[in-house]
PDB file of all heavy atoms in Angstrom:
ATOM      1  N   HIS A   1      -9.769   4.704  14.124  1.00  0.00           N
ATOM      2  CA  HIS A   1     -10.938   4.918  13.413  1.00  0.00           C
ATOM      3  C   HIS A   1     -10.950   6.226  12.575  1.00  0.00           C
ATOM      4  O   HIS A   1      -9.972   7.016  12.688  1.00  0.00           O
ATOM      5  CB  HIS A   1     -12.134   4.856  14.394  1.00  0.00           C
ATOM      6  CG  HIS A   1     -12.265   3.431  14.936  1.00  0.00           C
ATOM      7  ND1 HIS A   1     -12.964   2.414  14.276  1.00  0.00           N
ATOM      8  CD2 HIS A   1     -11.824   2.929  16.123  1.00  0.00           C
ATOM      9  CE1 HIS A   1     -12.927   1.329  15.008  1.00  0.00           C
ATOM     10  NE2 HIS A   1     -12.234   1.590  16.207  1.00  0.00           N
ATOM     11  N   ILE A   2     -11.918   6.423  11.783  1.00  0.00           N
ATOM     12  CA  ILE A   2     -11.918   7.522  10.873  1.00  0.00           C
ATOM     13  C   ILE A   2     -11.853   8.999  11.452  1.00  0.00           C
ATOM     14  O   ILE A   2     -11.454   9.925  10.907  1.00  0.00           O
ATOM     15  CB  ILE A   2     -13.117   7.460   9.878  1.00  0.00           C
ATOM     16  CG1 ILE A   2     -12.861   8.339   8.573  1.00  0.00           C
ATOM     17  CG2 ILE A   2     -14.380   7.801  10.672  1.00  0.00           C
ATOM     18  CD1 ILE A   2     -11.752   7.863   7.743  1.00  0.00           C
ATOM     19  N   ASN A   3     -12.272   9.057  12.769  1.00  0.00           N
ATOM     20  CA  ASN A   3     -12.201  10.288  13.454  1.00  0.00           C
ATOM     21  C   ASN A   3     -10.747  10.754  13.851  1.00  0.00           C
ATOM     22  O   ASN A   3     -10.548  11.794  14.468  1.00  0.00           O
ATOM     23  CB  ASN A   3     -13.081  10.246  14.648  1.00  0.00           C
ATOM     24  CG  ASN A   3     -12.782   9.174  15.605  1.00  0.00           C
ATOM     25  OD1 ASN A   3     -11.794   8.408  15.475  1.00  0.00           O
ATOM     26  ND2 ASN A   3     -13.610   9.000  16.657  1.00  0.00           N
ATOM     27  N   GLN A   4      -9.789   9.843  13.569  1.00  0.00           N
ATOM     28  CA  GLN A   4      -8.397  10.199  13.750  1.00  0.00           C
ATOM     29  C   GLN A   4      -7.619  10.002  12.410  1.00  0.00           C
ATOM     30  O   GLN A   4      -6.876   9.011  12.241  1.00  0.00           O
ATOM     31  CB  GLN A   4      -7.700   9.398  14.875  1.00  0.00           C
ATOM     32  CG  GLN A   4      -8.357   9.538  16.226  1.00  0.00           C
ATOM     33  CD  GLN A   4      -7.763   8.761  17.297  1.00  0.00           C
ATOM     34  OE1 GLN A   4      -6.503   8.639  17.347  1.00  0.00           O
ATOM     35  NE2 GLN A   4      -8.588   8.123  18.168  1.00  0.00           N
ATOM     36  N   ILE A   5      -7.877  10.963  11.539  1.00  0.00           N
ATOM     37  CA  ILE A   5      -7.507  10.753  10.146  1.00  0.00           C
ATOM     38  C   ILE A   5      -6.006  10.551   9.853  1.00  0.00           C
ATOM     39  O   ILE A   5      -5.539   9.866   8.972  1.00  0.00           O
ATOM     40  CB  ILE A   5      -8.057  11.997   9.321  1.00  0.00           C
ATOM     41  CG1 ILE A   5      -7.862  11.667   7.790  1.00  0.00           C
ATOM     42  CG2 ILE A   5      -7.267  13.215   9.648  1.00  0.00           C
ATOM     43  CD1 ILE A   5      -8.643  10.500   7.249  1.00  0.00           C
ATOM     44  N   ALA A   6      -5.153  11.172  10.673  1.00  0.00           N
ATOM     45  CA  ALA A   6      -3.753  11.085  10.481  1.00  0.00           C
ATOM     46  C   ALA A   6      -3.180   9.656  10.675  1.00  0.00           C
ATOM     47  O   ALA A   6      -2.239   9.281  10.013  1.00  0.00           O
ATOM     48  CB  ALA A   6      -2.958  12.036  11.450  1.00  0.00           C
ATOM     49  N   SER A   7      -3.860   8.850  11.511  1.00  0.00           N
ATOM     50  CA  SER A   7      -3.433   7.496  11.842  1.00  0.00           C
ATOM     51  C   SER A   7      -4.470   6.504  11.485  1.00  0.00           C
ATOM     52  O   SER A   7      -4.469   5.320  11.972  1.00  0.00           O
ATOM     53  CB  SER A   7      -3.021   7.354  13.312  1.00  0.00           C
ATOM     54  OG  SER A   7      -4.117   7.632  14.108  1.00  0.00           O
ATOM     55  N   VAL A   8      -5.325   6.890  10.572  1.00  0.00           N
ATOM     56  CA  VAL A   8      -6.574   5.997  10.250  1.00  0.00           C
ATOM     57  C   VAL A   8      -6.129   4.630   9.658  1.00  0.00           C
ATOM     58  O   VAL A   8      -5.122   4.532   8.866  1.00  0.00           O
ATOM     59  CB  VAL A   8      -7.458   6.688   9.298  1.00  0.00           C
ATOM     60  CG1 VAL A   8      -6.855   6.897   7.938  1.00  0.00           C
ATOM     61  CG2 VAL A   8      -8.804   5.984   9.186  1.00  0.00           C
ATOM     62  N   VAL A   9      -6.832   3.613  10.060  1.00  0.00           N
ATOM     63  CA  VAL A   9      -6.627   2.376   9.357  1.00  0.00           C
ATOM     64  C   VAL A   9      -6.960   2.441   7.863  1.00  0.00           C
ATOM     65  O   VAL A   9      -7.889   3.245   7.516  1.00  0.00           O
ATOM     66  CB  VAL A   9      -7.579   1.252  10.056  1.00  0.00           C
ATOM     67  CG1 VAL A   9      -9.026   1.486   9.770  1.00  0.00           C
ATOM     68  CG2 VAL A   9      -7.145  -0.102   9.680  1.00  0.00           C
ATOM     69  N   GLY A  10      -6.203   1.689   7.039  1.00  0.00           N
ATOM     70  CA  GLY A  10      -6.517   1.768   5.631  1.00  0.00           C
ATOM     71  C   GLY A  10      -5.810   2.779   4.834  1.00  0.00           C
ATOM     72  O   GLY A  10      -5.842   2.921   3.608  1.00  0.00           O
ATOM     73  N   ARG A  11      -4.954   3.533   5.558  1.00  0.00           N
ATOM     74  CA  ARG A  11      -4.175   4.577   4.861  1.00  0.00           C
ATOM     75  C   ARG A  11      -3.093   3.831   3.976  1.00  0.00           C
ATOM     76  O   ARG A  11      -2.595   2.823   4.368  1.00  0.00           O
ATOM     77  CB  ARG A  11      -3.546   5.645   5.727  1.00  0.00           C
ATOM     78  CG  ARG A  11      -2.556   5.052   6.727  1.00  0.00           C
ATOM     79  CD  ARG A  11      -2.126   6.117   7.786  1.00  0.00           C
ATOM     80  NE  ARG A  11      -1.039   5.553   8.558  1.00  0.00           N
ATOM     81  CZ  ARG A  11      -1.119   4.863   9.667  1.00  0.00           C
ATOM     82  NH1 ARG A  11      -2.310   4.473  10.014  1.00  0.00           N
ATOM     83  NH2 ARG A  11       0.006   4.416  10.302  1.00  0.00           N
ATOM     84  N   VAL A  12      -2.785   4.453   2.856  1.00  0.00           N
ATOM     85  CA  VAL A  12      -1.869   3.741   1.876  1.00  0.00           C
ATOM     86  C   VAL A  12      -0.655   4.681   1.551  1.00  0.00           C
ATOM     87  O   VAL A  12      -0.759   5.956   1.641  1.00  0.00           O
ATOM     88  CB  VAL A  12      -2.632   3.432   0.536  1.00  0.00           C
ATOM     89  CG1 VAL A  12      -3.602   2.310   0.815  1.00  0.00           C
ATOM     90  CG2 VAL A  12      -3.252   4.659  -0.084  1.00  0.00           C
ATOM     91  N   GLY A  13       0.365   4.059   1.176  1.00  0.00           N
ATOM     92  CA  GLY A  13       1.567   4.817   0.815  1.00  0.00           C
ATOM     93  C   GLY A  13       2.318   3.959  -0.241  1.00  0.00           C
ATOM     94  O   GLY A  13       2.196   2.739  -0.258  1.00  0.00           O
ATOM     95  N   ARG A  14       3.192   4.647  -1.051  1.00  0.00           N
ATOM     96  CA  ARG A  14       3.979   3.988  -1.995  1.00  0.00           C
ATOM     97  C   ARG A  14       5.466   4.026  -1.654  1.00  0.00           C
ATOM     98  O   ARG A  14       5.970   5.039  -1.020  1.00  0.00           O
ATOM     99  CB  ARG A  14       3.802   4.671  -3.353  1.00  0.00           C
ATOM    100  CG  ARG A  14       2.407   4.344  -4.008  1.00  0.00           C
ATOM    101  CD  ARG A  14       2.351   4.759  -5.414  1.00  0.00           C
ATOM    102  NE  ARG A  14       2.321   6.206  -5.510  1.00  0.00           N
ATOM    103  CZ  ARG A  14       1.956   6.887  -6.707  1.00  0.00           C
ATOM    104  NH1 ARG A  14       1.720   6.141  -7.812  1.00  0.00           N
ATOM    105  NH2 ARG A  14       1.835   8.152  -6.810  1.00  0.00           N
ATOM    106  N   VAL A  15       6.126   3.002  -1.902  1.00  0.00           N
ATOM    107  CA  VAL A  15       7.637   2.881  -1.742  1.00  0.00           C
ATOM    108  C   VAL A  15       8.274   3.720  -2.916  1.00  0.00           C
ATOM    109  O   VAL A  15       8.122   3.378  -4.030  1.00  0.00           O
ATOM    110  CB  VAL A  15       8.111   1.400  -1.768  1.00  0.00           C
ATOM    111  CG1 VAL A  15       9.655   1.426  -1.706  1.00  0.00           C
ATOM    112  CG2 VAL A  15       7.493   0.612  -0.692  1.00  0.00           C
ATOM    113  N   ARG A  16       8.978   4.749  -2.425  1.00  0.00           N
ATOM    114  CA  ARG A  16       9.639   5.707  -3.456  1.00  0.00           C
ATOM    115  C   ARG A  16      11.135   5.642  -3.324  1.00  0.00           C
ATOM    116  O   ARG A  16      11.763   6.482  -4.010  1.00  0.00           O
ATOM    117  CB  ARG A  16       9.087   7.101  -3.252  1.00  0.00           C
ATOM    118  CG  ARG A  16       7.580   7.142  -3.395  1.00  0.00           C
ATOM    119  CD  ARG A  16       7.100   7.141  -4.872  1.00  0.00           C
ATOM    120  NE  ARG A  16       7.402   8.286  -5.571  1.00  0.00           N
ATOM    121  CZ  ARG A  16       7.159   8.350  -6.914  1.00  0.00           C
ATOM    122  NH1 ARG A  16       6.550   7.345  -7.458  1.00  0.00           N
ATOM    123  NH2 ARG A  16       7.407   9.422  -7.527  1.00  0.00           N
ATOM    124  N   TYR A  17      11.674   4.749  -2.591  1.00  0.00           N
ATOM    125  CA  TYR A  17      13.131   4.630  -2.337  1.00  0.00           C
ATOM    126  C   TYR A  17      13.732   3.424  -2.942  1.00  0.00           C
ATOM    127  O   TYR A  17      12.998   2.508  -3.338  1.00  0.00           O
ATOM    128  CB  TYR A  17      13.417   4.739  -0.879  1.00  0.00           C
ATOM    129  CG  TYR A  17      12.665   3.763  -0.014  1.00  0.00           C
ATOM    130  CD1 TYR A  17      13.016   2.461   0.039  1.00  0.00           C
ATOM    131  CD2 TYR A  17      11.478   4.147   0.679  1.00  0.00           C
ATOM    132  CE1 TYR A  17      12.259   1.579   0.790  1.00  0.00           C
ATOM    133  CE2 TYR A  17      10.746   3.240   1.314  1.00  0.00           C
ATOM    134  CZ  TYR A  17      11.171   1.869   1.447  1.00  0.00           C
ATOM    135  OH  TYR A  17      10.416   0.974   2.127  1.00  0.00           O
ATOM    136  N   ASP A  18      15.014   3.423  -3.124  1.00  0.00           N
ATOM    137  CA  ASP A  18      15.696   2.319  -3.668  1.00  0.00           C
ATOM    138  C   ASP A  18      16.257   1.371  -2.635  1.00  0.00           C
ATOM    139  O   ASP A  18      16.697   0.285  -2.943  1.00  0.00           O
ATOM    140  CB  ASP A  18      16.915   2.773  -4.639  1.00  0.00           C
ATOM    141  CG  ASP A  18      16.375   3.501  -5.797  1.00  0.00           C
ATOM    142  OD1 ASP A  18      15.437   3.026  -6.468  1.00  0.00           O
ATOM    143  OD2 ASP A  18      16.929   4.670  -6.043  1.00  0.00           O
ATOM    144  N   ALA A  19      16.308   1.743  -1.362  1.00  0.00           N
ATOM    145  CA  ALA A  19      16.903   0.934  -0.325  1.00  0.00           C
ATOM    146  C   ALA A  19      16.073  -0.261  -0.143  1.00  0.00           C
ATOM    147  O   ALA A  19      14.921  -0.424  -0.399  1.00  0.00           O
ATOM    148  CB  ALA A  19      16.866   1.772   0.994  1.00  0.00           C
ATOM    149  N   ILE A  20      16.879  -1.316   0.382  1.00  0.00           N
ATOM    150  CA  ILE A  20      16.228  -2.605   0.699  1.00  0.00           C
ATOM    151  C   ILE A  20      15.530  -2.494   2.027  1.00  0.00           C
ATOM    152  O   ILE A  20      16.153  -2.112   3.034  1.00  0.00           O
ATOM    153  CB  ILE A  20      17.202  -3.727   0.670  1.00  0.00           C
ATOM    154  CG1 ILE A  20      17.774  -3.989  -0.710  1.00  0.00           C
ATOM    155  CG2 ILE A  20      16.513  -5.051   1.203  1.00  0.00           C
ATOM    156  CD1 ILE A  20      18.868  -5.033  -0.830  1.00  0.00           C
ATOM    157  N   THR A  21      14.246  -2.845   2.112  1.00  0.00           N
ATOM    158  CA  THR A  21      13.517  -2.780   3.390  1.00  0.00           C
ATOM    159  C   THR A  21      12.665  -4.076   3.418  1.00  0.00           C
ATOM    160  O   THR A  21      12.412  -4.727   2.343  1.00  0.00           O
ATOM    161  CB  THR A  21      12.665  -1.654   3.563  1.00  0.00           C
ATOM    162  OG1 THR A  21      11.795  -1.504   2.368  1.00  0.00           O
ATOM    163  CG2 THR A  21      13.428  -0.377   3.635  1.00  0.00           C
ATOM    164  N   VAL A  22      12.148  -4.506   4.598  1.00  0.00           N
ATOM    165  CA  VAL A  22      11.300  -5.641   4.780  1.00  0.00           C
ATOM    166  C   VAL A  22      10.061  -5.296   5.481  1.00  0.00           C
ATOM    167  O   VAL A  22       9.972  -4.330   6.257  1.00  0.00           O
ATOM    168  CB  VAL A  22      12.198  -6.788   5.594  1.00  0.00           C
ATOM    169  CG1 VAL A  22      12.492  -6.297   6.940  1.00  0.00           C
ATOM    170  CG2 VAL A  22      11.410  -8.073   5.570  1.00  0.00           C
ATOM    171  N   LEU A  23       9.025  -6.006   5.109  1.00  0.00           N
ATOM    172  CA  LEU A  23       7.605  -5.740   5.535  1.00  0.00           C
ATOM    173  C   LEU A  23       7.307  -6.388   6.812  1.00  0.00           C
ATOM    174  O   LEU A  23       7.537  -7.531   7.027  1.00  0.00           O
ATOM    175  CB  LEU A  23       6.629  -6.197   4.414  1.00  0.00           C
ATOM    176  CG  LEU A  23       5.243  -5.827   4.544  1.00  0.00           C
ATOM    177  CD1 LEU A  23       5.139  -4.230   4.378  1.00  0.00           C
ATOM    178  CD2 LEU A  23       4.312  -6.398   3.475  1.00  0.00           C
ATOM    179  N   ASN A  24       6.700  -5.623   7.750  1.00  0.00           N
ATOM    180  CA  ASN A  24       6.393  -6.102   9.099  1.00  0.00           C
ATOM    181  C   ASN A  24       4.884  -6.477   9.105  1.00  0.00           C
ATOM    182  O   ASN A  24       4.085  -6.193   8.224  1.00  0.00           O
ATOM    183  CB  ASN A  24       6.568  -5.039  10.161  1.00  0.00           C
ATOM    184  CG  ASN A  24       6.529  -5.535  11.598  1.00  0.00           C
ATOM    185  OD1 ASN A  24       7.128  -6.640  11.811  1.00  0.00           O
ATOM    186  ND2 ASN A  24       5.800  -4.871  12.492  1.00  0.00           N
ATOM    187  N   GLN A  25       4.459  -7.280  10.052  1.00  0.00           N
ATOM    188  CA  GLN A  25       3.130  -7.644  10.190  1.00  0.00           C
ATOM    189  C   GLN A  25       2.128  -6.525  10.327  1.00  0.00           C
ATOM    190  O   GLN A  25       2.484  -5.456  10.721  1.00  0.00           O
ATOM    191  CB  GLN A  25       2.933  -8.620  11.466  1.00  0.00           C
ATOM    192  CG  GLN A  25       3.211  -7.932  12.758  1.00  0.00           C
ATOM    193  CD  GLN A  25       3.045  -8.892  13.897  1.00  0.00           C
ATOM    194  OE1 GLN A  25       2.356  -9.830  13.818  1.00  0.00           O
ATOM    195  NE2 GLN A  25       3.789  -8.636  14.971  1.00  0.00           N
ATOM    196  N   ARG A  26       0.876  -6.742   9.852  1.00  0.00           N
ATOM    197  CA  ARG A  26      -0.200  -5.712   9.900  1.00  0.00           C
ATOM    198  C   ARG A  26       0.047  -4.604   8.973  1.00  0.00           C
ATOM    199  O   ARG A  26      -0.763  -3.646   8.999  1.00  0.00           O
ATOM    200  CB  ARG A  26      -0.471  -5.291  11.336  1.00  0.00           C
ATOM    201  CG  ARG A  26      -0.833  -6.265  12.378  1.00  0.00           C
ATOM    202  CD  ARG A  26      -2.061  -7.142  11.923  1.00  0.00           C
ATOM    203  NE  ARG A  26      -3.231  -6.361  11.695  1.00  0.00           N
ATOM    204  CZ  ARG A  26      -4.273  -6.696  10.966  1.00  0.00           C
ATOM    205  NH1 ARG A  26      -4.277  -7.797  10.405  1.00  0.00           N
ATOM    206  NH2 ARG A  26      -5.323  -5.895  10.924  1.00  0.00           N
ATOM    207  N   VAL A  27       0.975  -4.803   8.125  1.00  0.00           N
ATOM    208  CA  VAL A  27       1.137  -3.764   6.956  1.00  0.00           C
ATOM    209  C   VAL A  27       0.961  -4.679   5.725  1.00  0.00           C
ATOM    210  O   VAL A  27       1.606  -5.712   5.542  1.00  0.00           O
ATOM    211  CB  VAL A  27       2.524  -3.131   6.883  1.00  0.00           C
ATOM    212  CG1 VAL A  27       2.544  -2.143   5.689  1.00  0.00           C
ATOM    213  CG2 VAL A  27       2.835  -2.375   8.146  1.00  0.00           C
ATOM    214  N   GLY A  28      -0.109  -4.356   5.014  1.00  0.00           N
ATOM    215  CA  GLY A  28      -0.390  -5.177   3.756  1.00  0.00           C
ATOM    216  C   GLY A  28       0.262  -4.620   2.512  1.00  0.00           C
ATOM    217  O   GLY A  28       0.399  -3.468   2.326  1.00  0.00           O
ATOM    218  N   LYS A  29       0.692  -5.493   1.638  1.00  0.00           N
ATOM    219  CA  LYS A  29       1.217  -5.177   0.349  1.00  0.00           C
ATOM    220  C   LYS A  29       0.225  -5.574  -0.670  1.00  0.00           C
ATOM    221  O   LYS A  29      -0.342  -6.662  -0.732  1.00  0.00           O
ATOM    222  CB  LYS A  29       2.489  -5.978   0.131  1.00  0.00           C
ATOM    223  CG  LYS A  29       3.176  -5.724  -1.297  1.00  0.00           C
ATOM    224  CD  LYS A  29       4.439  -6.490  -1.413  1.00  0.00           C
ATOM    225  CE  LYS A  29       4.947  -6.393  -2.819  1.00  0.00           C
ATOM    226  NZ  LYS A  29       6.239  -7.175  -3.082  1.00  0.00           N
ATOM    227  N   ILE A  30      -0.125  -4.502  -1.496  1.00  0.00           N
ATOM    228  CA  ILE A  30      -1.118  -4.783  -2.627  1.00  0.00           C
ATOM    229  C   ILE A  30      -0.370  -5.316  -3.841  1.00  0.00           C
ATOM    230  O   ILE A  30       0.570  -4.697  -4.313  1.00  0.00           O
ATOM    231  CB  ILE A  30      -1.773  -3.406  -3.004  1.00  0.00           C
ATOM    232  CG1 ILE A  30      -2.379  -2.681  -1.749  1.00  0.00           C
ATOM    233  CG2 ILE A  30      -2.839  -3.665  -4.080  1.00  0.00           C
ATOM    234  CD1 ILE A  30      -3.436  -3.426  -1.120  1.00  0.00           C
ATOM    235  N   VAL A  31      -0.792  -6.478  -4.262  1.00  0.00           N
ATOM    236  CA  VAL A  31      -0.132  -7.121  -5.415  1.00  0.00           C
ATOM    237  C   VAL A  31      -1.103  -7.205  -6.626  1.00  0.00           C
ATOM    238  O   VAL A  31      -2.147  -7.738  -6.481  1.00  0.00           O
ATOM    239  CB  VAL A  31       0.355  -8.584  -5.077  1.00  0.00           C
ATOM    240  CG1 VAL A  31       1.019  -9.219  -6.311  1.00  0.00           C
ATOM    241  CG2 VAL A  31       1.368  -8.477  -3.846  1.00  0.00           C
ATOM    242  N   ASN A  32      -0.691  -6.639  -7.723  1.00  0.00           N
ATOM    243  CA  ASN A  32      -1.519  -6.609  -8.972  1.00  0.00           C
ATOM    244  C   ASN A  32      -1.471  -7.969  -9.620  1.00  0.00           C
ATOM    245  O   ASN A  32      -0.351  -8.477  -9.915  1.00  0.00           O
ATOM    246  CB  ASN A  32      -0.984  -5.547  -9.859  1.00  0.00           C
ATOM    247  CG  ASN A  32      -1.956  -5.194 -11.019  1.00  0.00           C
ATOM    248  OD1 ASN A  32      -3.042  -5.822 -11.099  1.00  0.00           O
ATOM    249  ND2 ASN A  32      -1.567  -4.301 -11.895  1.00  0.00           N
ATOM    250  N   LYS A  33      -2.580  -8.636  -9.872  1.00  0.00           N
ATOM    251  CA  LYS A  33      -2.658  -9.914 -10.420  1.00  0.00           C
ATOM    252  C   LYS A  33      -2.289  -9.960 -11.886  1.00  0.00           C
ATOM    253  O   LYS A  33      -1.646 -10.864 -12.366  1.00  0.00           O
ATOM    254  CB  LYS A  33      -3.991 -10.548 -10.212  1.00  0.00           C
ATOM    255  CG  LYS A  33      -4.381 -10.931  -8.815  1.00  0.00           C
ATOM    256  CD  LYS A  33      -5.742 -11.625  -8.786  1.00  0.00           C
ATOM    257  CE  LYS A  33      -6.119 -12.083  -7.365  1.00  0.00           C
ATOM    258  NZ  LYS A  33      -7.512 -12.732  -7.311  1.00  0.00           N
ATOM    259  N   ASN A  34      -2.663  -8.882 -12.608  1.00  0.00           N
ATOM    260  CA  ASN A  34      -2.547  -8.898 -14.062  1.00  0.00           C
ATOM    261  C   ASN A  34      -2.402  -7.525 -14.583  1.00  0.00           C
ATOM    262  O   ASN A  34      -3.361  -6.669 -14.659  1.00  0.00           O
ATOM    263  CB  ASN A  34      -3.749  -9.578 -14.778  1.00  0.00           C
ATOM    264  CG  ASN A  34      -3.475  -9.883 -16.227  1.00  0.00           C
ATOM    265  OD1 ASN A  34      -2.641  -9.172 -16.919  1.00  0.00           O
ATOM    266  ND2 ASN A  34      -4.171 -10.796 -16.812  1.00  0.00           N
ATOM    267  N   GLU A  35      -1.158  -7.035 -14.958  1.00  0.00           N
ATOM    268  CA  GLU A  35      -0.928  -5.682 -15.335  1.00  0.00           C
ATOM    269  C   GLU A  35      -1.641  -5.323 -16.695  1.00  0.00           C
ATOM    270  O   GLU A  35      -1.865  -4.138 -16.915  1.00  0.00           O
ATOM    271  CB  GLU A  35       0.623  -5.501 -15.467  1.00  0.00           C
ATOM    272  CG  GLU A  35       1.351  -5.504 -14.173  1.00  0.00           C
ATOM    273  CD  GLU A  35       2.838  -5.244 -14.325  1.00  0.00           C
ATOM    274  OE1 GLU A  35       3.198  -5.002 -15.478  1.00  0.00           O
ATOM    275  OE2 GLU A  35       3.485  -5.217 -13.345  1.00  0.00           O
ATOM    276  N   ALA A  36      -1.993  -6.376 -17.397  1.00  0.00           N
ATOM    277  CA  ALA A  36      -2.749  -6.110 -18.766  1.00  0.00           C
ATOM    278  C   ALA A  36      -4.171  -5.694 -18.474  1.00  0.00           C
ATOM    279  O   ALA A  36      -4.866  -5.092 -19.323  1.00  0.00           O
ATOM    280  CB  ALA A  36      -2.670  -7.328 -19.629  1.00  0.00           C
ATOM    281  N   LYS A  37      -4.641  -6.013 -17.207  1.00  0.00           N
ATOM    282  CA  LYS A  37      -6.069  -5.721 -16.952  1.00  0.00           C
ATOM    283  C   LYS A  37      -6.273  -4.649 -15.907  1.00  0.00           C
ATOM    284  O   LYS A  37      -7.408  -4.051 -15.854  1.00  0.00           O
ATOM    285  CB  LYS A  37      -6.774  -7.073 -16.508  1.00  0.00           C
ATOM    286  CG  LYS A  37      -6.873  -8.089 -17.536  1.00  0.00           C
ATOM    287  CD  LYS A  37      -7.696  -9.259 -16.977  1.00  0.00           C
ATOM    288  CE  LYS A  37      -7.807 -10.368 -18.050  1.00  0.00           C
ATOM    289  NZ  LYS A  37      -8.600 -11.519 -17.651  1.00  0.00           N
ATOM    290  N   SER A  38      -5.278  -4.393 -15.100  1.00  0.00           N
ATOM    291  CA  SER A  38      -5.458  -3.336 -14.014  1.00  0.00           C
ATOM    292  C   SER A  38      -4.167  -2.627 -13.764  1.00  0.00           C
ATOM    293  O   SER A  38      -3.062  -3.210 -13.922  1.00  0.00           O
ATOM    294  CB  SER A  38      -6.013  -4.000 -12.806  1.00  0.00           C
ATOM    295  OG  SER A  38      -5.138  -5.025 -12.276  1.00  0.00           O
ATOM    296  N   SER A  39      -4.245  -1.430 -13.410  1.00  0.00           N
ATOM    297  CA  SER A  39      -3.095  -0.569 -13.179  1.00  0.00           C
ATOM    298  C   SER A  39      -2.956  -0.479 -11.590  1.00  0.00           C
ATOM    299  O   SER A  39      -3.880  -0.023 -10.926  1.00  0.00           O
ATOM    300  CB  SER A  39      -3.175   0.806 -13.744  1.00  0.00           C
ATOM    301  OG  SER A  39      -2.366   1.728 -13.190  1.00  0.00           O
ATOM    302  N   LEU A  40      -1.675  -0.773 -11.164  1.00  0.00           N
ATOM    303  CA  LEU A  40      -1.468  -0.696  -9.717  1.00  0.00           C
ATOM    304  C   LEU A  40      -1.509   0.786  -9.287  1.00  0.00           C
ATOM    305  O   LEU A  40      -1.974   1.080  -8.115  1.00  0.00           O
ATOM    306  CB  LEU A  40      -0.082  -1.315  -9.340  1.00  0.00           C
ATOM    307  CG  LEU A  40       0.227  -1.330  -7.889  1.00  0.00           C
ATOM    308  CD1 LEU A  40      -0.804  -2.139  -7.066  1.00  0.00           C
ATOM    309  CD2 LEU A  40       1.638  -1.882  -7.601  1.00  0.00           C
ATOM    310  N   ASP A  41      -1.078   1.674 -10.093  1.00  0.00           N
ATOM    311  CA  ASP A  41      -1.088   3.110  -9.705  1.00  0.00           C
ATOM    312  C   ASP A  41      -2.496   3.591  -9.642  1.00  0.00           C
ATOM    313  O   ASP A  41      -2.898   4.349  -8.744  1.00  0.00           O
ATOM    314  CB  ASP A  41      -0.364   3.975 -10.773  1.00  0.00           C
ATOM    315  CG  ASP A  41       1.140   3.836 -10.595  1.00  0.00           C
ATOM    316  OD1 ASP A  41       1.608   3.407  -9.521  1.00  0.00           O
ATOM    317  OD2 ASP A  41       1.869   4.047 -11.649  1.00  0.00           O
ATOM    318  N   TYR A  42      -3.389   3.158 -10.481  1.00  0.00           N
ATOM    319  CA  TYR A  42      -4.811   3.509 -10.462  1.00  0.00           C
ATOM    320  C   TYR A  42      -5.353   2.899  -9.194  1.00  0.00           C
ATOM    321  O   TYR A  42      -6.174   3.660  -8.504  1.00  0.00           O
ATOM    322  CB  TYR A  42      -5.527   2.960 -11.691  1.00  0.00           C
ATOM    323  CG  TYR A  42      -7.036   3.085 -11.639  1.00  0.00           C
ATOM    324  CD1 TYR A  42      -7.606   4.322 -12.084  1.00  0.00           C
ATOM    325  CD2 TYR A  42      -7.863   2.013 -11.298  1.00  0.00           C
ATOM    326  CE1 TYR A  42      -9.042   4.482 -11.983  1.00  0.00           C
ATOM    327  CE2 TYR A  42      -9.204   2.154 -11.251  1.00  0.00           C
ATOM    328  CZ  TYR A  42      -9.803   3.403 -11.645  1.00  0.00           C
ATOM    329  OH  TYR A  42     -11.141   3.498 -11.525  1.00  0.00           O
ATOM    330  N   ILE A  43      -5.108   1.705  -8.861  1.00  0.00           N
ATOM    331  CA  ILE A  43      -5.652   1.119  -7.619  1.00  0.00           C
ATOM    332  C   ILE A  43      -5.208   1.883  -6.430  1.00  0.00           C
ATOM    333  O   ILE A  43      -5.904   2.031  -5.456  1.00  0.00           O
ATOM    334  CB  ILE A  43      -5.277  -0.405  -7.628  1.00  0.00           C
ATOM    335  CG1 ILE A  43      -5.988  -1.185  -8.670  1.00  0.00           C
ATOM    336  CG2 ILE A  43      -5.523  -0.978  -6.213  1.00  0.00           C
ATOM    337  CD1 ILE A  43      -5.523  -2.611  -8.882  1.00  0.00           C
TER     338      ILE A  43
END
């Protein structure tokens, strides 16, 4: 919960590496529907 900020639910991070990795359950991937209408970096 929010009173434990270091491990809080909803924290986000960006993939900055080139290595191949695979996504585990309970980690959500944000997918931009239309790059002409919204910026993933802004989101």
Side-chain angles (χ1 to χ4, degrees):
H1 292 279
I2 197 63
N3 55 7
Q4 298 180 44
I5 190 63
S7 57
V8 68
V9 69
R11 65 189 187 277
V12 290
R14 287 191 287 192
V15 175
R16 301 289 285 180
Y17 51 80
D18 295 310
I20 295 175
T21 54
V22 63
L23 192 65
N24 196 46
Q25 63 180 334
R26 301 304 301 162
V27 183
K29 178 180 174 181
I30 307 296
V31 179
N32 194 2
K33 289 182 178 180
N34 189 336
E35 292 182 0
K37 292 184 178 181
S38 56
S39 160
L40 184 60
D41 285 338
Y42 174 80
I43 291 169

